mmCIF file of all heavy atoms in Angstrom:
data_model
loop_
_atom_site.group_PDB
_atom_site.id
_atom_site.type_symbol
_atom_site.label_atom_id
_atom_site.label_comp_id
_atom_site.label_asym_id
_atom_site.label_seq_id
_atom_site.Cartn_x
_atom_site.Cartn_y
_atom_site.Cartn_z
ATOM 1 N N CYS A 29 -4.138 -23.538 21.047
ATOM 2 C CA CYS A 29 -3.444 -22.262 21.167
ATOM 3 C C CYS A 29 -3.501 -21.775 22.605
ATOM 4 O O CYS A 29 -4.580 -21.499 23.140
ATOM 5 C CB CYS A 29 -4.059 -21.226 20.235
ATOM 6 S SG CYS A 29 -3.099 -19.713 20.177
ATOM 7 N N GLU A 30 -2.338 -21.675 23.206
ATOM 8 C CA GLU A 30 -2.235 -21.227 24.593
ATOM 9 C C GLU A 30 -2.034 -19.709 24.630
ATOM 10 O O GLU A 30 -1.251 -19.154 23.868
ATOM 11 C CB GLU A 30 -1.029 -21.920 25.247
ATOM 12 C CG GLU A 30 -0.773 -21.527 26.681
ATOM 13 C CD GLU A 30 0.502 -22.135 27.231
ATOM 14 O OE1 GLU A 30 1.004 -23.114 26.630
ATOM 15 O OE2 GLU A 30 1.007 -21.622 28.263
ATOM 16 N N GLY A 31 -2.793 -19.053 25.500
ATOM 17 C CA GLY A 31 -2.560 -17.630 25.727
ATOM 18 C C GLY A 31 -3.457 -16.687 24.959
ATOM 19 O O GLY A 31 -3.367 -15.465 25.154
ATOM 20 N N LEU A 32 -4.328 -17.203 24.088
ATOM 21 C CA LEU A 32 -5.271 -16.350 23.378
ATOM 22 C C LEU A 32 -6.687 -16.621 23.898
ATOM 23 O O LEU A 32 -7.055 -17.774 24.120
ATOM 24 C CB LEU A 32 -5.225 -16.599 21.870
ATOM 25 C CG LEU A 32 -3.959 -16.149 21.147
ATOM 26 C CD1 LEU A 32 -4.057 -16.464 19.654
ATOM 27 C CD2 LEU A 32 -3.687 -14.661 21.349
ATOM 28 N N THR A 33 -7.460 -15.567 24.054
ATOM 29 C CA THR A 33 -8.804 -15.705 24.616
ATOM 30 C C THR A 33 -9.750 -16.362 23.622
ATOM 31 O O THR A 33 -9.573 -16.255 22.395
ATOM 32 C CB THR A 33 -9.376 -14.330 25.011
ATOM 33 O OG1 THR A 33 -9.401 -13.484 23.851
ATOM 34 C CG2 THR A 33 -8.518 -13.681 26.087
ATOM 35 N N ASP A 34 -10.745 -17.058 24.152
ATOM 36 C CA ASP A 34 -11.770 -17.636 23.294
ATOM 37 C C ASP A 34 -12.445 -16.537 22.478
ATOM 38 O O ASP A 34 -12.691 -15.437 22.977
ATOM 39 C CB ASP A 34 -12.821 -18.357 24.144
ATOM 40 C CG ASP A 34 -12.348 -19.728 24.604
ATOM 41 O OD1 ASP A 34 -11.194 -20.075 24.297
ATOM 42 O OD2 ASP A 34 -13.124 -20.433 25.274
ATOM 43 N N GLY A 35 -12.733 -16.847 21.242
ATOM 44 C CA GLY A 35 -13.341 -15.864 20.351
ATOM 45 C C GLY A 35 -12.340 -15.177 19.452
ATOM 46 O O GLY A 35 -12.725 -14.488 18.501
ATOM 47 N N THR A 36 -11.043 -15.352 19.737
ATOM 48 C CA THR A 36 -10.007 -14.766 18.876
ATOM 49 C C THR A 36 -10.054 -15.428 17.499
ATOM 50 O O THR A 36 -10.090 -16.651 17.382
ATOM 51 C CB THR A 36 -8.603 -14.965 19.487
ATOM 52 O OG1 THR A 36 -8.542 -14.318 20.753
ATOM 53 C CG2 THR A 36 -7.531 -14.397 18.570
ATOM 54 N N TRP A 37 -10.052 -14.602 16.464
ATOM 55 C CA TRP A 37 -10.115 -15.120 15.101
ATOM 56 C C TRP A 37 -8.727 -15.509 14.592
ATOM 57 O O TRP A 37 -7.749 -14.812 14.836
ATOM 58 C CB TRP A 37 -10.710 -14.080 14.149
ATOM 59 C CG TRP A 37 -12.206 -14.024 14.186
ATOM 60 C CD1 TRP A 37 -12.983 -13.172 14.907
ATOM 61 C CD2 TRP A 37 -13.110 -14.873 13.464
ATOM 62 N NE1 TRP A 37 -14.315 -13.422 14.690
ATOM 63 C CE2 TRP A 37 -14.420 -14.462 13.799
ATOM 64 C CE3 TRP A 37 -12.937 -15.928 12.559
ATOM 65 C CZ2 TRP A 37 -15.555 -15.073 13.268
ATOM 66 C CZ3 TRP A 37 -14.065 -16.536 12.027
ATOM 67 C CH2 TRP A 37 -15.350 -16.120 12.377
ATOM 68 N N LEU A 38 -8.684 -16.642 13.885
ATOM 69 C CA LEU A 38 -7.494 -17.076 13.163
ATOM 70 C C LEU A 38 -7.825 -17.120 11.672
ATOM 71 O O LEU A 38 -8.907 -17.572 11.284
ATOM 72 C CB LEU A 38 -7.052 -18.470 13.618
ATOM 73 C CG LEU A 38 -6.592 -18.617 15.074
ATOM 74 C CD1 LEU A 38 -6.321 -20.091 15.368
ATOM 75 C CD2 LEU A 38 -5.350 -17.789 15.337
ATOM 76 N N TYR A 39 -6.871 -16.648 10.844
ATOM 77 C CA TYR A 39 -7.083 -16.607 9.396
ATOM 78 C C TYR A 39 -5.992 -17.418 8.709
ATOM 79 O O TYR A 39 -4.811 -17.222 8.962
ATOM 80 C CB TYR A 39 -7.044 -15.167 8.887
ATOM 81 C CG TYR A 39 -8.044 -14.257 9.569
ATOM 82 C CD1 TYR A 39 -7.678 -13.531 10.715
ATOM 83 C CD2 TYR A 39 -9.343 -14.129 9.101
ATOM 84 C CE1 TYR A 39 -8.586 -12.703 11.362
ATOM 85 C CE2 TYR A 39 -10.256 -13.302 9.735
ATOM 86 C CZ TYR A 39 -9.869 -12.587 10.865
ATOM 87 O OH TYR A 39 -10.770 -11.774 11.496
ATOM 88 N N LEU A 40 -6.420 -18.338 7.832
ATOM 89 C CA LEU A 40 -5.480 -19.149 7.067
ATOM 90 C C LEU A 40 -5.513 -18.679 5.620
ATOM 91 O O LEU A 40 -6.559 -18.684 4.975
ATOM 92 C CB LEU A 40 -5.863 -20.628 7.138
ATOM 93 C CG LEU A 40 -4.924 -21.596 6.416
ATOM 94 C CD1 LEU A 40 -3.580 -21.690 7.144
ATOM 95 C CD2 LEU A 40 -5.558 -22.987 6.308
#
Side-chain angles (χ1 to χ4, degrees):
C29 188
E30 179 186 342
L32 291 180
T33 58
D34 281 3
T36 299
W37 279 96
L38 296 175
Y39 304 91
L40 182 70

